[in-house]
């Protein structure tokens, strides 16, 4: 595998006081000799939206629990749609972490327990 190209990308991170913090990263694209495609290098700390870090996206999701999307967007200087997408990603991660709840009792079990056996002849 060889480098295809590289470029600088600015990624927003948590603020420090009243200052917005951005990280400048060199993101490489790699030419895969096996499949012949060009693929972008993945960085573990960058969120699904490549303009934000995971911890910033998590912070936005936590803030949305306490306030409205409009208020969080105004506080952080973000677009409403950006906050909405980061909050959706946060909620999906929370659901994945919690898992899907199973049924308390299956429908077949409920039918079996509700069935009454006839005492007389038919």
């Amino acid at each position: 595998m060889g480098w295809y190209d590289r470029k600088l990308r600015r990624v927003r991170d948590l603020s420090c006081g009243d200052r917005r913090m951005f990280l400048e990263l060199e993101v490489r694209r790699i030419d895969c000799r096996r499949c012949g495609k060009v693929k972008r290098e993945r960085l573990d700390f960058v969120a699904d939206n490549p303009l934000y870090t995971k911890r910033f996206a998590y912070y936005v999701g936590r803030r949305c629990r306490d306030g409205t999307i409009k208020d969080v967007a105004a506080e952080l200087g973000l677009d409403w749609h950006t906050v909405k997408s980061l909050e959706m990603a946060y909620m999906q991660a929370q659901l994945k972490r919690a898992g899907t709840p199973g049924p308390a009792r299956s429908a077949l079990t409920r039918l079996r327990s509700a069935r009454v056996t006839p005492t007389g002849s038919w």
Side-chain angles (χ1 to χ4, degrees):
M1 288 194 195
W3 284 8
Y4 183 77
D5 67 355
R6 57 187 172 177
K7 67 178 182 177
L8 283 178
R9 172 168 286 161
R10 287 181 60 183
V11 178
R12 180 148 179 205
D13 198 16
L14 290 175
S15 299
C16 183
D18 62 344
R19 300 265 185 190
R20 294 182 189 170
M21 301 303 290
F22 292 90
L23 305 176
E24 281 196 6
L25 309 170
E26 183 177 88
V27 179
R28 298 179 289 207
R29 292 195 308 166
I30 298 171
D31 188 14
C32 181
R33 293 183 187 137
R34 185 174 34 155
C35 66
K37 294 182 180 179
V38 176
K39 299 181 179 184
R40 187 173 48 90
E41 178 181 39
R42 293 186 189 263
L43 301 172
D44 291 338
F45 59 91
V46 176
D48 293 337
N49 184 335
L51 300 177
Y52 305 99
T53 61
K54 283 185 179 178
R55 65 183 181 178
F56 181 75
Y58 182 79
Y59 175 74
V60 171
R62 292 289 299 170
R63 289 288 298 124
C64 286
R65 286 181 147 202
D66 299 331
T68 64
I69 293 175
K70 183 178 177 181
D71 292 340
V72 173
E75 175 190 334
L76 299 174
L78 296 172
D79 183 52
W80 185 90
H81 297 286
T82 303
V83 174
K84 180 68 175 172
S85 68
L86 291 174
E87 193 247 349
M88 289 284 284
Y90 171 79
M91 293 306 290
Q92 287 175 349
Q94 294 299 311
L95 286 172
K96 189 184 297 183
R97 192 173 299 144
T100 55
R105 293 185 345 174
S106 70
L108 185 58
T109 306
R110 279 183 270 160
L111 286 174
R112 284 185 185 152
S113 63
R115 186 179 302 162
V116 178
T117 55
T119 55
S121 62
W122 290 60

